[in-house]
């Protein structure tokens, strides 16, 4: 029997309504949350993501600014801009869109964002806080979105075996950390794992973040597992995930579609981080 296709759009819409209410409350109290996105160069996909973020801000009432910088922007110019945004009291969240041109040292740019405004949760201080489980209001957007989806469909994460495919700094590793915080037993598999299927087949919750279309087939999945597909791949101009959706749908108890779930959830968590940062700032005054 085919499993449930998780209705990401519905979940996203209801969380954005909640965020909108929080934004109105903060705005009425004189602290409208503000997000700035910095984009360097003309990568078309990045511009699409940035436009989506701008639109999402508008939808919930978050003040948004976009700095569209030319591809030949220097490291110094970018760092100088970050410095001024760190001081800007209208801005609570700073996001530098990846990828940056090759001549820019991305790590240094991320390090220069003040951790209180690091809404991507990439700054080493926020990564460290995640590791030790310190609650600071910032959560890594994509993994936090996955946890939220699992909770909103009523998944009991505690005690479950969660397997994460992929170990990147932006998805796999923080995903494993958040699942651990939810008391799952967590395994991570990656390109050097010899018999990945033997491990993924043990998963009650399988989160896939690799970047290879159709890598995960029904043979990788335990019947009844919940499968979350983070992957975003373009095949013949069409967006698809890392999971063979049609095949895995037949064995899983629930599965996220691509597009329409983790992508918009990631932006939703970005809004939430911005609101949390604004709330913390307003409490500090
Ligand atoms: P990444 O940095 O390229 O990492 C990919 C990971 O997959 C690596 O850890 C790699 O292992 C592992 N891997 C590669 N081939 C494998 C294989 N055959 N078997 C098992 N593991 C394998 O990618 P990422 O940034 O984490 O992104 C992953 C996917 O998620 C991409 O499609 C990306 O576009 C998508 N994504 C979506 C969102 C969203 O908002 N929906 C956000 C972020 C990313 P090694 O470490 O051993 O090389």
């Amino acid at each position: 029997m085919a499993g449930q296709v998780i209705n990401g759009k519905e979940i996203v819409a209801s969380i954005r309504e909640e965020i909108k209410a929080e934004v109105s409350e903060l705005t009425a109290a004189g602290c409208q949350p503000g997000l700035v996105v910095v984009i360097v160069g003309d990568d078309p996909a990045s511009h699409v993501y940035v436009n989506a973020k701008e639109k999402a801000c508008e939808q919930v009432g978050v003040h948004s600014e976009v700095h569209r910088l030319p591809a030949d922007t220097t490291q110094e110019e970018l760092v100088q801009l970050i410095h001024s945004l760190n001081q800007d009291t209208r801005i609570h969240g700073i996001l530098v869109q990846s990828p940056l041109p090759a001549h820019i040292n991305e790590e240094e740019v991320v390090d220069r964002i003040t951790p209180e405004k690091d809404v991507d949760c990439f700054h080493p201080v926020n990564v460290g806080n995640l590791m030790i489980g310190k609650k600071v209001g910032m959560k890594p957007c994509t993994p936090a979105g996955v946890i939220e989806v699992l909770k909103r469909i009523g998944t009991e994460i505690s005690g479950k075996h969660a397997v994460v495919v992929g170990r990147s700094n932006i998805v796999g590793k923080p995903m494993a950390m958040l699942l651990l915080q939810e008391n799952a037993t967590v395994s991570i598999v990656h390109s050097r794992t010899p018999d990945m299927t033997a491990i993924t087949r043990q998963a009650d919750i399988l989160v896939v973040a690799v970047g290879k279309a159709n890598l995960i087939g029904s043979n990788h999945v335990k019947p009844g597992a919940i499968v979350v597909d983070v992957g975003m791949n373009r095949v013949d101009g069409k967006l698809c995930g890392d999971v063979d959706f049609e095949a895995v749908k037949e064995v899983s108890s629930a599965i996220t579609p691509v597009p329409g779930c983790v992508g918009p959830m990631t932006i939703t968590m970005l809004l939430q981080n911005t609101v949390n940062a604004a709330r913390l700032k307003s409490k500090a005054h």
Side-chain angles (χ1 to χ4, degrees), residues 142 166-168 170-171 190-191 196 209-212 230-232 263 266:
T142 301
R167 56 171 167 175
S168 71
I170 64 163
V171 191
H190 47 78
S191 70
M196 181 172 84
V210 172
K212 289 191 175 153
V230 177
M232 277 201 308
T266 296

Side-chain angles (χ1 to χ4, degrees), residues 49 141-143 165-173 188-193 196 208-213 215-216 229-233 240-242 258 261-267:
Y49 298 144
C141 299
T142 301
V165 187
R167 56 171 167 175
S168 71
N169 287 335
I170 64 163
V171 191
K173 284 184 206 163
I188 307 178
V189 297
H190 47 78
S191 70
R192 311 290 175 91
T193 304
M196 181 172 84
V208 188
V210 172
K212 289 191 175 153
L215 177 76
I216 300 297
D229 190 353
V230 177
M232 277 201 308
N233 311 291
C240 67
D242 293 339
V258 178
C261 192
V262 176
M265 272 305 286
T266 296
I267 297 181

Side-chain angles (χ1 to χ4, degrees), residues 88-182:
D88 189 336
T89 52
R90 272 166 51 94
I91 297 301
H92 305 95
I94 303 171
L95 181 149
V96 179
Q97 184 66 43
S98 194
L100 288 169
H103 67 278
I104 302 274
N105 177 343
E106 193 158 346
E107 209 172 282
E108 194 210 344
V109 172
V110 170
D111 286 357
R112 294 300 184 106
I113 300 173
T114 184
E116 290 77 24
K117 296 191 181 186
D118 165 42
V119 278
D120 256 338
C121 205
F122 290 168
H123 190 285
V125 166
N126 284 325
V127 175
N129 283 333
L130 173 69
M131 209 46 207
I132 60 174
K134 188 172 169 188
K135 303 251 181 325
V136 287
M138 291 303 176
K139 283 185 185 170
C141 299
T142 301
V146 172
I147 296 287
E148 201 56 40
V149 167
L150 291 171
K151 288 185 174 173
R152 299 258 169 170
I153 63 164
T155 311
E156 176 67 43
I157 302 174
S158 180
K160 296 282 160 51
H161 188 182
V163 176
V164 181
V165 187
R167 56 171 167 175
S168 71
N169 287 335
I170 64 163
V171 191
K173 284 184 206 163
M175 184 73 252
M177 250 338 112
L178 289 187
L179 286 161
L180 194 59
Q181 279 176 16
E182 296 293 335

